[in-house]
Amino acid sequence: MSISIAETTTSQEAQEELANELLNQAQNASQLNSSQVAQLVGNLEKLLDGSSVSKAVGQKVINVVSNLMEGNSVALSASANRLVQVVEDVGLKLIVPGDREILSSGSVVLAVRSIDGTNFPQTSFNIFNTDNVQLRALSRSRSKRSGSALGSVSLPSSLTAGLSPEDQQLANRVQFTFYTKPALFQDDALNNQTLVSPVLAASVTNLSISNLAENIQFTIQNVNPIDGNYSASCAFWDFTQNGGGGWSSAGCFVVNNTPEETTCSCNHLTSFAILLDLSREGIIDRQQAQILTFITYIGCGISAIFLALTLLTYLLFEKLMRDIPAKILVQLCLSLLFLNLVFLLDGWLALYPVVGLCISTAFFLHYFLLTSFTWAGLEALHMYLSIVRVFTPYLSRYMLKFSLIGWGIPLLVVIVVISVDKDNYGVVTYGKYTDGTSDDFCWLRNDIAFYVGVVAYFLLIFALCLLVFIIVMVQLSRIKKQNPQNQPPNRGVMTDLRSIAGLIVLLGLTWGFALFAWGPLYLPFVYLFTIFNSLQGFLVFIFHCAVKENVRRQWRTYLCCGKLRLAENSDWSRTATQNRMNLSVATATTSAPHLTSRNSSVISDSTNSNGSVFADSGISDSSNSDAILNDIHRLNISL
């Protein structure tokens, strides 16, 4: 034991001796060139290699950094980020015998307070000058900041509530750093902008925390008052911007500003790509994350509106619900609507430090994601039964069985996931941004649960949908080669492309973009994934509601007035009757009587208004504009 104490004492003495030597070297900082500064910073990093730092050594390190900040800014620039990290390391390793410790110098102030991460106290930091620093726990009623402070920040008691139990145990200290001048934070890319305030930072044991019930706001006094010709903006230091660090305002905004001081806050961002991000790493560029977030929430909001319109259209008009594909489409739209609504609420609900609320949100988000996959798969299965297994015998209670599969199987999956461990759902940290922050989201926390309960499930459905899509394309190619004379005269390439696009949207093939979001292709495919899948509901409305002739006729019959209104006994009804007559004639002339009876059983099963299982298998209504399924319809008549 005595040997251990002697070794520790010797080590501390050696650290203090090295710290004194480095402090002497930094006395004439203005005379140091960039290589000498870099060598000095390297020695500071070696000094802090140990697991702890005494107050004496820590104070000397802060003094060295402060002296260097008074030196040549050009010589300092290459080592600026390393010096900032040196100050952070002092705060992480500083021995705090009581509940707080403050190290102060002419240009840098470091305040550290010991905390209990499982019961975080509301903590405020106010600096009036480098010798007058207030670091204390406050009740909400006493949290008002003094107006004369150079800088202040108040951390709410809910700060660590969103952390996992393991991270809460690690959160044993909070540290505040105040730089009186931005000497370590020079950015040539500011152009016509000028730094007008000191730099204030706060961190909790170097953890990324953004699951906040209350936003953290910083108030900093402007070094020089801002006159009316200029506007203030808030920014954070991005250590990788411009190759060596730079200021970025992405996600940060001004809460309040006067000529003397500015109050800033930053928001939290989440993009739609989190649902099927196979890497589970997220975006590291906050600006890209912000763009993706805007796309996501705008797209999901638009999709929710148009999914509701699609549902209202099909549920209000009985004629549209006579066939199986329309019933499957309604179930798919209902599932997508719930998925979009839960996703839109997720980021907001994640702000509340209520564990059960986040678990429930993640549970339902997972469930509706799986139901959306499943109903797309059932649409593909129905197409397969209609196109490949044309003579499949009548299946009793067809939609009942589909409904049990579409809503039941996903329910079993999420029940198994939550039964194994309820903590499989909860707050996940998504996106490790270059500024050290991240975003939180209520989702699947366990990687195994994610890859089995989402990725594997998706791959199974995606394989089925892709197979059906290929079969439909092959059938179309056969038709064009075998019956070129039967092609409608008004058919063009755009008609085919529109039908193909409608089929891709219906089968959810755009979710496949997630499979290619790897390596250098990660960002472009995340953009494609986010754009197409957040807008999937809107695209479903366009291709399977707005452009369908029978839907438009229902709108014109019951919703329009004047010249746009159609009579109930319109040309559409006569066209449908003629289609049934043509089908009867074509069927009667077939060379195999037993095929006629088998085909009739399929027709009665689908209860299609025009007598064909192909004419409205999700993308067609036997109008001239729905070319692909009409061609397949003619092919099967020829059988």
mmCIF file of all heavy atoms in Angstrom, residues 546-586:
data_model
loop_
_atom_site.group_PDB
_atom_site.id
_atom_site.type_symbol
_atom_site.label_atom_id
_atom_site.label_comp_id
_atom_site.label_asym_id
_atom_site.label_seq_id
_atom_site.Cartn_x
_atom_site.Cartn_y
_atom_site.Cartn_z
ATOM 1 N N ALA A 546 -56.658 9.354 -58.621
ATOM 2 C CA ALA A 546 -56.856 10.529 -59.474
ATOM 3 C C ALA A 546 -56.859 10.210 -60.963
ATOM 4 O O ALA A 546 -57.626 10.807 -61.727
ATOM 5 C CB ALA A 546 -55.785 11.579 -59.170
ATOM 6 N N VAL A 547 -55.989 9.274 -61.420
ATOM 7 C CA VAL A 547 -55.901 9.020 -62.858
ATOM 8 C C VAL A 547 -56.804 7.866 -63.306
ATOM 9 O O VAL A 547 -56.850 7.565 -64.496
ATOM 10 C CB VAL A 547 -54.440 8.703 -63.280
ATOM 11 C CG1 VAL A 547 -53.516 9.830 -62.914
ATOM 12 C CG2 VAL A 547 -53.962 7.388 -62.693
ATOM 13 N N LYS A 548 -57.515 7.238 -62.397
ATOM 14 C CA LYS A 548 -58.387 6.124 -62.774
ATOM 15 C C LYS A 548 -59.721 6.653 -63.284
ATOM 16 O O LYS A 548 -60.381 7.456 -62.627
ATOM 17 C CB LYS A 548 -58.603 5.176 -61.594
ATOM 18 C CG LYS A 548 -57.330 4.443 -61.173
ATOM 19 C CD LYS A 548 -57.592 3.372 -60.156
ATOM 20 C CE LYS A 548 -58.336 2.220 -60.798
ATOM 21 N NZ LYS A 548 -58.460 1.077 -59.876
ATOM 22 N N GLU A 549 -60.090 6.181 -64.444
ATOM 23 C CA GLU A 549 -61.281 6.690 -65.097
ATOM 24 C C GLU A 549 -62.547 6.451 -64.281
ATOM 25 O O GLU A 549 -63.396 7.326 -64.151
ATOM 26 C CB GLU A 549 -61.416 6.042 -66.482
ATOM 27 C CG GLU A 549 -62.598 6.536 -67.296
ATOM 28 C CD GLU A 549 -62.470 7.998 -67.688
ATOM 29 O OE1 GLU A 549 -61.326 8.514 -67.696
ATOM 30 O OE2 GLU A 549 -63.498 8.626 -67.978
ATOM 31 N N ASN A 550 -62.665 5.248 -63.685
ATOM 32 C CA ASN A 550 -63.898 4.976 -62.938
ATOM 33 C C ASN A 550 -63.996 5.826 -61.681
ATOM 34 O O ASN A 550 -65.086 6.228 -61.272
ATOM 35 C CB ASN A 550 -64.008 3.482 -62.599
ATOM 36 C CG ASN A 550 -62.828 2.987 -61.793
ATOM 37 O OD1 ASN A 550 -61.792 3.641 -61.733
ATOM 38 N ND2 ASN A 550 -62.979 1.823 -61.177
ATOM 39 N N VAL A 551 -62.862 6.154 -61.065
ATOM 40 C CA VAL A 551 -62.887 7.027 -59.889
ATOM 41 C C VAL A 551 -63.279 8.439 -60.286
ATOM 42 O O VAL A 551 -64.122 9.088 -59.634
ATOM 43 C CB VAL A 551 -61.518 7.026 -59.185
ATOM 44 C CG1 VAL A 551 -61.503 8.053 -58.051
ATOM 45 C CG2 VAL A 551 -61.193 5.638 -58.639
ATOM 46 N N ARG A 552 -62.697 8.929 -61.359
ATOM 47 C CA ARG A 552 -63.028 10.286 -61.806
ATOM 48 C C ARG A 552 -64.505 10.393 -62.184
ATOM 49 O O ARG A 552 -65.138 11.424 -61.944
ATOM 50 C CB ARG A 552 -62.143 10.685 -62.994
ATOM 51 C CG ARG A 552 -60.671 10.846 -62.653
ATOM 52 C CD ARG A 552 -59.952 11.741 -63.654
ATOM 53 N NE ARG A 552 -60.129 11.260 -65.015
ATOM 54 C CZ ARG A 552 -59.310 10.402 -65.611
ATOM 55 N NH1 ARG A 552 -58.280 9.913 -64.952
ATOM 56 N NH2 ARG A 552 -59.530 10.026 -66.871
ATOM 57 N N ARG A 553 -65.056 9.344 -62.766
ATOM 58 C CA ARG A 553 -66.476 9.382 -63.138
ATOM 59 C C ARG A 553 -67.363 9.398 -61.893
ATOM 60 O O ARG A 553 -68.416 10.050 -61.883
ATOM 61 C CB ARG A 553 -66.816 8.196 -64.032
ATOM 62 C CG ARG A 553 -66.266 8.336 -65.442
ATOM 63 C CD ARG A 553 -66.690 7.190 -66.328
ATOM 64 N NE ARG A 553 -66.167 7.357 -67.686
ATOM 65 C CZ ARG A 553 -66.755 8.057 -68.632
ATOM 66 N NH1 ARG A 553 -67.907 8.658 -68.385
ATOM 67 N NH2 ARG A 553 -66.216 8.170 -69.832
ATOM 68 N N GLN A 554 -66.948 8.694 -60.863
ATOM 69 C CA GLN A 554 -67.706 8.739 -59.609
ATOM 70 C C GLN A 554 -67.664 10.142 -59.005
ATOM 71 O O GLN A 554 -68.673 10.649 -58.502
ATOM 72 C CB GLN A 554 -67.140 7.718 -58.609
ATOM 73 C CG GLN A 554 -67.410 6.272 -58.978
ATOM 74 C CD GLN A 554 -68.880 5.928 -58.897
ATOM 75 O OE1 GLN A 554 -69.521 6.139 -57.871
ATOM 76 N NE2 GLN A 554 -69.436 5.416 -59.985
ATOM 77 N N TRP A 555 -66.509 10.770 -59.054
ATOM 78 C CA TRP A 555 -66.392 12.146 -58.564
ATOM 79 C C TRP A 555 -67.315 13.073 -59.366
ATOM 80 O O TRP A 555 -68.028 13.896 -58.775
ATOM 81 C CB TRP A 555 -64.946 12.639 -58.707
ATOM 82 C CG TRP A 555 -63.983 12.065 -57.699
ATOM 83 C CD1 TRP A 555 -64.289 11.434 -56.539
ATOM 84 C CD2 TRP A 555 -62.559 12.101 -57.787
ATOM 85 N NE1 TRP A 555 -63.144 11.057 -55.889
ATOM 86 C CE2 TRP A 555 -62.061 11.459 -56.625
ATOM 87 C CE3 TRP A 555 -61.641 12.586 -58.708
ATOM 88 C CZ2 TRP A 555 -60.699 11.309 -56.379
ATOM 89 C CZ3 TRP A 555 -60.285 12.441 -58.459
ATOM 90 C CH2 TRP A 555 -59.818 11.809 -57.318
ATOM 91 N N ARG A 556 -67.273 12.928 -60.684
ATOM 92 C CA ARG A 556 -68.072 13.819 -61.535
ATOM 93 C C ARG A 556 -69.570 13.531 -61.380
ATOM 94 O O ARG A 556 -70.386 14.441 -61.515
ATOM 95 C CB ARG A 556 -67.657 13.659 -62.995
ATOM 96 C CG ARG A 556 -66.244 14.156 -63.304
ATOM 97 C CD ARG A 556 -65.915 14.000 -64.776
ATOM 98 N NE ARG A 556 -66.807 14.822 -65.597
ATOM 99 C CZ ARG A 556 -66.776 14.816 -66.922
ATOM 100 N NH1 ARG A 556 -65.915 14.049 -67.573
ATOM 101 N NH2 ARG A 556 -67.616 15.584 -67.613
ATOM 102 N N THR A 557 -69.936 12.298 -61.091
ATOM 103 C CA THR A 557 -71.347 11.943 -60.948
ATOM 104 C C THR A 557 -71.934 12.473 -59.648
ATOM 105 O O THR A 557 -73.061 12.986 -59.618
ATOM 106 C CB THR A 557 -71.521 10.414 -61.003
ATOM 107 O OG1 THR A 557 -71.026 9.943 -62.261
ATOM 108 C CG2 THR A 557 -72.986 10.028 -60.852
ATOM 109 N N TYR A 558 -71.185 12.383 -58.559
ATOM 110 C CA TYR A 558 -71.750 12.688 -57.239
ATOM 111 C C TYR A 558 -71.206 13.963 -56.591
ATOM 112 O O TYR A 558 -71.812 14.489 -55.656
ATOM 113 C CB TYR A 558 -71.505 11.513 -56.290
ATOM 114 C CG TYR A 558 -72.211 10.250 -56.730
ATOM 115 C CD1 TYR A 558 -71.513 9.226 -57.359
ATOM 116 C CD2 TYR A 558 -73.583 10.079 -56.533
ATOM 117 C CE1 TYR A 558 -72.146 8.059 -57.768
ATOM 118 C CE2 TYR A 558 -74.230 8.924 -56.941
ATOM 119 C CZ TYR A 558 -73.515 7.923 -57.559
ATOM 120 O OH TYR A 558 -74.153 6.782 -57.958
ATOM 121 N N LEU A 559 -70.067 14.463 -57.068
ATOM 122 C CA LEU A 559 -69.459 15.606 -56.386
ATOM 123 C C LEU A 559 -69.455 16.879 -57.222
ATOM 124 O O LEU A 559 -69.332 17.974 -56.672
ATOM 125 C CB LEU A 559 -68.011 15.273 -55.985
ATOM 126 C CG LEU A 559 -67.826 14.080 -55.047
ATOM 127 C CD1 LEU A 559 -66.341 13.890 -54.730
ATOM 128 C CD2 LEU A 559 -68.613 14.283 -53.748
ATOM 129 N N CYS A 560 -69.545 16.735 -58.530
ATOM 130 C CA CYS A 560 -69.469 17.912 -59.391
ATOM 131 C C CYS A 560 -70.871 18.445 -59.721
ATOM 132 O O CYS A 560 -71.890 17.772 -59.521
ATOM 133 C CB CYS A 560 -68.727 17.589 -60.687
ATOM 134 S SG CYS A 560 -66.978 17.212 -60.426
ATOM 135 N N CYS A 561 -70.898 19.637 -60.259
ATOM 136 C CA CYS A 561 -72.162 20.244 -60.667
ATOM 137 C C CYS A 561 -71.970 20.922 -62.018
ATOM 138 O O CYS A 561 -70.844 21.097 -62.490
ATOM 139 C CB CYS A 561 -72.659 21.249 -59.627
ATOM 140 S SG CYS A 561 -71.489 22.564 -59.256
ATOM 141 N N GLY A 562 -73.046 21.307 -62.631
ATOM 142 C CA GLY A 562 -72.983 21.991 -63.914
ATOM 143 C C GLY A 562 -72.535 21.073 -65.040
ATOM 144 O O GLY A 562 -72.911 19.905 -65.107
ATOM 145 N N LYS A 563 -71.705 21.591 -65.923
ATOM 146 C CA LYS A 563 -71.271 20.837 -67.087
ATOM 147 C C LYS A 563 -70.359 19.672 -66.721
ATOM 148 O O LYS A 563 -70.225 18.715 -67.486
ATOM 149 C CB LYS A 563 -70.546 21.768 -68.060
ATOM 150 C CG LYS A 563 -71.436 22.833 -68.680
ATOM 151 C CD LYS A 563 -70.673 23.672 -69.682
ATOM 152 C CE LYS A 563 -71.574 24.728 -70.319
ATOM 153 N NZ LYS A 563 -70.829 25.555 -71.306
ATOM 154 N N LEU A 564 -69.691 19.750 -65.564
ATOM 155 C CA LEU A 564 -68.778 18.684 -65.162
ATOM 156 C C LEU A 564 -69.520 17.465 -64.617
ATOM 157 O O LEU A 564 -68.970 16.370 -64.547
ATOM 158 C CB LEU A 564 -67.795 19.193 -64.098
ATOM 159 C CG LEU A 564 -66.804 20.251 -64.559
ATOM 160 C CD1 LEU A 564 -65.957 20.723 -63.386
ATOM 161 C CD2 LEU A 564 -65.915 19.715 -65.682
ATOM 162 N N ARG A 565 -70.774 17.647 -64.236
ATOM 163 C CA ARG A 565 -71.525 16.558 -63.613
ATOM 164 C C ARG A 565 -71.961 15.539 -64.669
ATOM 165 O O ARG A 565 -72.366 15.884 -65.766
ATOM 166 C CB ARG A 565 -72.752 17.102 -62.888
ATOM 167 C CG ARG A 565 -73.560 16.048 -62.155
ATOM 168 C CD ARG A 565 -74.756 16.677 -61.440
ATOM 169 N NE ARG A 565 -75.559 15.665 -60.788
ATOM 170 C CZ ARG A 565 -75.349 15.211 -59.566
ATOM 171 N NH1 ARG A 565 -74.327 15.692 -58.875
ATOM 172 N NH2 ARG A 565 -76.117 14.286 -59.048
ATOM 173 N N LEU A 566 -71.862 14.244 -64.319
ATOM 174 C CA LEU A 566 -72.299 13.158 -65.186
ATOM 175 C C LEU A 566 -73.560 12.528 -64.619
ATOM 176 O O LEU A 566 -73.712 12.421 -63.395
ATOM 177 C CB LEU A 566 -71.208 12.079 -65.297
ATOM 178 C CG LEU A 566 -69.940 12.433 -66.079
ATOM 179 C CD1 LEU A 566 -68.988 11.252 -66.039
ATOM 180 C CD2 LEU A 566 -70.273 12.806 -67.513
ATOM 181 N N ALA A 567 -74.430 12.099 -65.515
ATOM 182 C CA ALA A 567 -75.623 11.375 -65.068
ATOM 183 C C ALA A 567 -75.211 9.998 -64.576
ATOM 184 O O ALA A 567 -74.196 9.441 -64.973
ATOM 185 C CB ALA A 567 -76.622 11.251 -66.211
ATOM 186 N N GLU A 568 -76.029 9.419 -63.661
ATOM 187 C CA GLU A 568 -75.698 8.117 -63.105
ATOM 188 C C GLU A 568 -75.670 7.051 -64.183
ATOM 189 O O GLU A 568 -74.865 6.134 -64.166
ATOM 190 C CB GLU A 568 -76.691 7.734 -62.003
ATOM 191 C CG GLU A 568 -76.563 8.609 -60.769
ATOM 192 C CD GLU A 568 -77.314 8.029 -59.596
ATOM 193 O OE1 GLU A 568 -77.379 6.781 -59.481
ATOM 194 O OE2 GLU A 568 -77.848 8.810 -58.809
ATOM 195 N N ASN A 569 -76.578 7.114 -65.178
ATOM 196 C CA ASN A 569 -76.580 6.168 -66.285
ATOM 197 C C ASN A 569 -75.764 6.766 -67.428
ATOM 198 O O ASN A 569 -76.297 7.172 -68.451
ATOM 199 C CB ASN A 569 -78.011 5.881 -66.754
ATOM 200 C CG ASN A 569 -78.814 5.195 -65.669
ATOM 201 O OD1 ASN A 569 -78.268 4.373 -64.941
ATOM 202 N ND2 ASN A 569 -80.100 5.540 -65.564
ATOM 203 N N SER A 570 -74.487 6.852 -67.227
ATOM 204 C CA SER A 570 -73.622 7.507 -68.197
ATOM 205 C C SER A 570 -72.983 6.483 -69.114
ATOM 206 O O SER A 570 -73.226 5.293 -69.041
ATOM 207 C CB SER A 570 -72.521 8.283 -67.468
ATOM 208 O OG SER A 570 -71.722 7.380 -66.721
ATOM 209 N N ASP A 571 -72.121 6.998 -70.002
ATOM 210 C CA ASP A 571 -71.409 6.115 -70.927
ATOM 211 C C ASP A 571 -70.574 5.084 -70.188
ATOM 212 O O ASP A 571 -70.289 4.015 -70.689
ATOM 213 C CB ASP A 571 -70.495 6.943 -71.840
ATOM 214 C CG ASP A 571 -71.305 7.804 -72.784
ATOM 215 O OD1 ASP A 571 -72.481 7.465 -73.006
ATOM 216 O OD2 ASP A 571 -70.750 8.796 -73.293
ATOM 217 N N TRP A 572 -70.159 5.403 -68.960
ATOM 218 C CA TRP A 572 -69.314 4.478 -68.182
ATOM 219 C C TRP A 572 -70.062 3.183 -67.924
ATOM 220 O O TRP A 572 -69.524 2.085 -68.061
ATOM 221 C CB TRP A 572 -68.911 5.155 -66.873
ATOM 222 C CG TRP A 572 -68.097 4.262 -65.991
ATOM 223 C CD1 TRP A 572 -66.961 3.612 -66.328
ATOM 224 C CD2 TRP A 572 -68.363 3.936 -64.632
ATOM 225 N NE1 TRP A 572 -66.492 2.892 -65.263
ATOM 226 C CE2 TRP A 572 -67.322 3.085 -64.210
ATOM 227 C CE3 TRP A 572 -69.369 4.299 -63.730
ATOM 228 C CZ2 TRP A 572 -67.270 2.573 -62.912
ATOM 229 C CZ3 TRP A 572 -69.295 3.789 -62.444
ATOM 230 C CH2 TRP A 572 -68.262 2.939 -62.049
ATOM 231 N N SER A 573 -71.374 3.294 -67.531
ATOM 232 C CA SER A 573 -72.158 2.092 -67.264
ATOM 233 C C SER A 573 -72.320 1.274 -68.532
ATOM 234 O O SER A 573 -72.213 0.048 -68.519
ATOM 235 C CB SER A 573 -73.530 2.476 -66.707
ATOM 236 O OG SER A 573 -73.397 3.175 -65.493
ATOM 237 N N ARG A 574 -72.571 1.957 -69.657
ATOM 238 C CA ARG A 574 -72.730 1.226 -70.905
ATOM 239 C C ARG A 574 -71.418 0.570 -71.329
ATOM 240 O O ARG A 574 -71.402 -0.546 -71.850
ATOM 241 C CB ARG A 574 -73.224 2.178 -71.993
ATOM 242 C CG ARG A 574 -74.650 2.679 -71.755
ATOM 243 C CD ARG A 574 -75.190 3.365 -72.993
ATOM 244 N NE ARG A 574 -74.477 4.603 -73.298
ATOM 245 C CZ ARG A 574 -74.808 5.780 -72.775
ATOM 246 N NH1 ARG A 574 -75.810 5.872 -71.908
ATOM 247 N NH2 ARG A 574 -74.144 6.868 -73.118
ATOM 248 N N THR A 575 -70.300 1.244 -71.071
ATOM 249 C CA THR A 575 -69.005 0.661 -71.402
ATOM 250 C C THR A 575 -68.749 -0.593 -70.596
ATOM 251 O O THR A 575 -68.250 -1.597 -71.094
ATOM 252 C CB THR A 575 -67.889 1.689 -71.144
ATOM 253 O OG1 THR A 575 -68.146 2.841 -71.927
ATOM 254 C CG2 THR A 575 -66.533 1.111 -71.504
ATOM 255 N N ALA A 576 -69.081 -0.539 -69.292
ATOM 256 C CA ALA A 576 -68.888 -1.710 -68.438
ATOM 257 C C ALA A 576 -69.742 -2.872 -68.909
ATOM 258 O O ALA A 576 -69.310 -4.028 -68.934
ATOM 259 C CB ALA A 576 -69.223 -1.356 -66.986
ATOM 260 N N THR A 577 -71.006 -2.578 -69.321
ATOM 261 C CA THR A 577 -71.891 -3.638 -69.822
ATOM 262 C C THR A 577 -71.321 -4.246 -71.094
ATOM 263 O O THR A 577 -71.318 -5.465 -71.281
ATOM 264 C CB THR A 577 -73.291 -3.059 -70.096
ATOM 265 O OG1 THR A 577 -73.789 -2.486 -68.900
ATOM 266 C CG2 THR A 577 -74.231 -4.154 -70.578
ATOM 267 N N GLN A 578 -70.828 -3.378 -71.981
ATOM 268 C CA GLN A 578 -70.259 -3.873 -73.225
ATOM 269 C C GLN A 578 -69.041 -4.745 -72.965
ATOM 270 O O GLN A 578 -68.827 -5.751 -73.628
ATOM 271 C CB GLN A 578 -69.862 -2.682 -74.114
ATOM 272 C CG GLN A 578 -69.374 -3.090 -75.511
ATOM 273 C CD GLN A 578 -70.453 -3.778 -76.316
ATOM 274 O OE1 GLN A 578 -71.622 -3.390 -76.239
ATOM 275 N NE2 GLN A 578 -70.092 -4.811 -77.065
ATOM 276 N N ASN A 579 -68.218 -4.383 -71.973
ATOM 277 C CA ASN A 579 -67.054 -5.187 -71.618
ATOM 278 C C ASN A 579 -67.457 -6.580 -71.179
ATOM 279 O O ASN A 579 -66.824 -7.574 -71.512
ATOM 280 C CB ASN A 579 -66.251 -4.510 -70.508
ATOM 281 C CG ASN A 579 -65.456 -3.336 -71.016
ATOM 282 O OD1 ASN A 579 -65.163 -3.266 -72.215
ATOM 283 N ND2 ASN A 579 -65.120 -2.420 -70.115
ATOM 284 N N ARG A 580 -68.535 -6.658 -70.386
ATOM 285 C CA ARG A 580 -68.995 -7.973 -69.928
ATOM 286 C C ARG A 580 -69.506 -8.801 -71.108
ATOM 287 O O ARG A 580 -69.281 -10.003 -71.198
ATOM 288 C CB ARG A 580 -70.090 -7.789 -68.878
ATOM 289 C CG ARG A 580 -69.571 -7.337 -67.526
ATOM 290 C CD ARG A 580 -70.624 -7.543 -66.447
ATOM 291 N NE ARG A 580 -71.770 -6.671 -66.644
ATOM 292 C CZ ARG A 580 -71.846 -5.443 -66.138
ATOM 293 N NH1 ARG A 580 -70.847 -4.969 -65.426
ATOM 294 N NH2 ARG A 580 -72.904 -4.701 -66.348
ATOM 295 N N MET A 581 -70.192 -8.145 -72.059
ATOM 296 C CA MET A 581 -70.678 -8.863 -73.228
ATOM 297 C C MET A 581 -69.521 -9.368 -74.069
ATOM 298 O O MET A 581 -69.519 -10.511 -74.540
ATOM 299 C CB MET A 581 -71.582 -7.948 -74.067
ATOM 300 C CG MET A 581 -72.895 -7.578 -73.369
ATOM 301 S SD MET A 581 -73.834 -6.383 -74.328
ATOM 302 C CE MET A 581 -74.079 -7.295 -75.842
ATOM 303 N N ASN A 582 -68.490 -8.544 -74.250
ATOM 304 C CA ASN A 582 -67.344 -8.956 -75.038
ATOM 305 C C ASN A 582 -66.633 -10.129 -74.387
ATOM 306 O O ASN A 582 -66.162 -11.045 -75.055
ATOM 307 C CB ASN A 582 -66.364 -7.791 -75.205
ATOM 308 C CG ASN A 582 -66.932 -6.687 -76.078
ATOM 309 O OD1 ASN A 582 -67.851 -6.939 -76.848
ATOM 310 N ND2 ASN A 582 -66.381 -5.483 -75.954
ATOM 311 N N LEU A 583 -66.541 -10.097 -73.085
ATOM 312 C CA LEU A 583 -65.885 -11.183 -72.377
ATOM 313 C C LEU A 583 -66.664 -12.469 -72.539
ATOM 314 O O LEU A 583 -66.094 -13.536 -72.742
ATOM 315 C CB LEU A 583 -65.740 -10.830 -70.890
ATOM 316 C CG LEU A 583 -65.099 -11.930 -70.027
ATOM 317 C CD1 LEU A 583 -63.670 -12.189 -70.490
ATOM 318 C CD2 LEU A 583 -65.144 -11.561 -68.562
ATOM 319 N N SER A 584 -67.987 -12.382 -72.472
ATOM 320 C CA SER A 584 -68.814 -13.576 -72.629
ATOM 321 C C SER A 584 -68.629 -14.183 -74.011
ATOM 322 O O SER A 584 -68.513 -15.395 -74.169
ATOM 323 C CB SER A 584 -70.286 -13.214 -72.394
ATOM 324 O OG SER A 584 -70.475 -12.727 -71.091
ATOM 325 N N VAL A 585 -68.588 -13.339 -75.034
ATOM 326 C CA VAL A 585 -68.399 -13.842 -76.393
ATOM 327 C C VAL A 585 -67.033 -14.495 -76.533
ATOM 328 O O VAL A 585 -66.891 -15.584 -77.089
ATOM 329 C CB VAL A 585 -68.557 -12.702 -77.411
ATOM 330 C CG1 VAL A 585 -68.182 -13.174 -78.806
ATOM 331 C CG2 VAL A 585 -69.986 -12.177 -77.383
ATOM 332 N N ALA A 586 -65.994 -13.830 -75.990
ATOM 333 C CA ALA A 586 -64.643 -14.370 -76.096
ATOM 334 C C ALA A 586 -64.518 -15.684 -75.354
ATOM 335 O O ALA A 586 -63.859 -16.617 -75.801
ATOM 336 C CB ALA A 586 -63.638 -13.350 -75.558
#
